[in-house]
Amino acid sequence: MKNTFQLYHKSSYILEDIENNSIDALITDPPYGISYQGNYWDKDLPDRKVWEQGFEKLKSGSFGLVFSSIRLMHRLMVDLEDSGFLIKDVLFWAYLNGMPKSRNVGLSIDKELGVESEKIGEYKYVQGYKKEGAESYKASKKEKLAPSSELGKKYDGAGLGIKPSYEPIILIQKPLEKGLNVAQNIIKYGTGALNFEETRIPYKEGESKVGHNPHEKGRVPANIIRTEPFEDGYDKFFLVPKVRQHKDDFNFHPTLKPVELMQHLVKLITFEGQTVLDTFMGSGSTGVACMELKRKFVGYELDENYIEIAKRRIETSISTPKLF
Ligand SMILES: C[S@@+](CC[C@H](N)C(=O)[O-])C[C@H]1O[C@@H](n2cnc3c(N)ncnc32)[C@H](O)[C@@H]1O
């Protein structure tokens, strides 16, 4: 690869530009198949082809991290497994501040019965998370209603979905080369182990170290990644806040992932100098993390608007690296 990164504006269902057994890790955030916010590219889960192709491109023993949705994770896992990968773990990115998508069933019952619900006030409705005062801020007044029918009152406040507070990230591995043990595989390919040295969770000052053989640098990273610390005095998880869509900052990708989170994931499954493939790059958050951590990057993205954003972000990150 001439550059430290290579971006392709094409579908990742055919990865003919990449040599077989040349990639050290797959980190990607594919369409979830849930039509999130009506995005045209999120209608279906990706075709299994992409995982079969990815499997060919990865070196034996390589790890992958694939974001998923709670509702369709099981299907994605079957596709990954059927493409040859081992399912090693599921990381939970617990971002806690998700919005429940639901409605007051009591009001639906009133409507079904042809009964007019009672108006009990007004509320301010803001679409998305726009800040008051920002140019794009638009608030409208909506009526606050309460059920009027007997049955409607009984079901007042009942809903259809609980608050989504985490996103699963599937940890996969291409099996070691047949006949090789981990050490032999690493000697041959450089792949087969997770990188704890760069991802340990440091002990709090004064905290007594736990375990039989505590490591100076801290704990082995956990499979929970949180956005806020626990309130019991210490936190043994990696912390990363969720990001809002940066409309003002030229990046309007609707499912942008925090670079800080991507850095943690890149560090966890690769070592310096290795190459990461992202088959659904979006605005390039994985690529930015790779540049900042001295990893090489190959990204695929179908939408021409997103690939332009990714190129700009990745180029900028090379000149102004930001380490978390
Ligand atoms: C969930 S988004 C990734 C967002 C990314 N994590 C970020 O931080 O910006 C998935 C992306 O996959 C792209 N995509 C969908 N199908 C594709 C395909 N067959 N090949 C390449 N990209 C595809 C979509 O355009 C979308 O931008």
Side-chain angles (χ1 to χ4, degrees):
M1 214 184 333
K2 199 170 92 219
N3 236 325
T4 47
F5 70 92
Q6 183 73 54
L7 309 186
Y8 294 103
H9 176 208
K10 47 169 102 165
S11 173
S12 50
Y13 289 179
I14 299 173
L15 298 173
E16 62 194 356
D17 314 284
I18 306 176
E19 262 180 52
N20 284 357
N21 305 306
S22 66
I23 299 287
D24 299 288
L26 170 72
I27 301 181
T28 196
D29 175 23
Y32 288 177
I34 56 174
S35 290
Y36 179 71
Q37 292 183 347
N39 287 304
Y40 75 92
W41 46 262
D42 196 42
K43 277 206 306 281
D44 300 303
L45 278 177
D47 193 292
R48 183 178 292 187
K49 280 198 278 234
V50 65
W51 313 123
E52 290 167 353
Q53 288 270 308
F55 187 87
E56 295 298 323
K57 306 303 161 188
L58 287 170
K59 297 175 184 169
S60 300
S62 299
F63 286 95
L65 285 162
V66 183
F67 283 82
S68 183
S69 71
I70 299 163
R71 277 196 274 151
L72 289 180
M73 170 170 63
H74 59 295
R75 292 207 176 278
L76 185 54
M77 283 170 117
V78 168
D79 280 347
L80 289 164
E81 200 175 52
D82 287 353
S83 306
F85 289 107
L86 306 168
I87 306 288
K88 301 295 285 186
D89 208 326
V90 178
L91 279 65
F92 277 22
W93 175 35
Y95 53 77
L96 307 176
N97 56 354
M99 296 283 272
K101 202 173 145 203
S102 200
R103 70 173 97 113
N104 185 345
V105 174
L107 298 176
S108 305
I109 291 173
D110 272 5
K111 196 169 169 201
E112 192 61 35
L113 294 173
V115 175
E116 200 176 328
S117 301
E118 191 189 343
K119 295 184 184 75
I120 53 168
E122 282 186 335
Y123 68 96
K124 197 158 71 173
Y125 174 75
V126 185
Q127 209 169 16
Y129 298 96
K130 289 156 196 142
K131 272 197 194 138
E132 208 155 348
E135 214 176 292
S136 58
Y137 180 85
K138 267 190 208 98
S140 55
K141 289 223 163 100
K142 288 213 170 188
E143 280 179 339
K144 209 172 189 168
L145 300 173
S148 305
S149 67
E150 263 326 291
L151 195 62
K153 281 182 186 159
K154 181 171 173 185
Y155 286 90
D156 188 15
L160 302 175
I162 53 177
K163 179 180 158 78
S165 292
Y166 73 85
E167 261 179 55
I169 309 170
I170 308 163
L171 175 66
I172 52 172
Q173 187 181 22
K174 178 167 173 171
L176 304 177
E177 186 178 299
K178 220 167 170 192
L180 300 190
N181 62 30
V182 175
Q184 291 165 337
N185 197 91
I186 293 175
I187 291 164
K188 187 161 177 189
Y189 297 107
T191 45
L194 297 170
N195 184 351
F196 294 155
E197 282 313 280
E198 283 193 81
T199 47
R200 282 186 186 276
I201 311 296
Y203 297 106
K204 284 254 160 178
E205 231 177 271
E207 185 194 338
S208 58
K209 299 180 175 63
V210 288
H212 301 297
N213 187 13
H215 194 284
E216 272 313 302
K217 283 191 174 169
R219 296 181 166 84
V220 167
N223 57 5
I224 297 181
I225 299 166
R226 288 175 51 93
T227 49
E228 282 156 43
F230 282 127
E231 286 169 7
D232 58 1
Y234 76 91
D235 205 299
K236 52 186 184 297
F237 305 113
F238 180 71
L239 288 176
V240 55
K242 200 168 188 198
V243 279
R244 303 271 178 247
Q245 194 182 346
H246 286 287
K247 273 221 159 56
D248 46 345
D249 182 20
F250 77 80
N251 188 358
F252 49 82
H253 200 290
T255 64
L256 172 71
K257 290 288 184 293
V259 172
E260 197 177 351
L261 171 66
M262 302 317 296
Q263 284 196 351
H264 180 68
L265 302 182
V266 167
K267 284 193 274 189
L268 183 63
I269 64 166
T270 63
F271 294 79
E272 216 175 285
Q274 291 190 325
T275 304
V276 174
L277 168 67
D278 185 345
T279 44
F280 301 97
M281 175 175 62
S283 63
S285 308
T286 314
V288 172
C290 285
M291 296 305 102
E292 288 169 343
L293 294 166
K294 300 197 173 71
R295 270 69 166 175
K296 299 185 190 105
F297 178 71
V298 183
Y300 281 73
E301 172 55 51
L302 254 185
D303 189 302
E304 60 182 328
N305 296 310
Y306 299 153
I307 195 147
E308 278 311 312
I309 300 174
K311 190 162 172 276
R312 198 166 151 189
R313 286 180 80 206
I314 294 170
E315 279 170 353
T316 310
S317 71
I318 297 176
S319 50
T320 51
K322 223 168 44 183
L323 254 180
F324 293 98

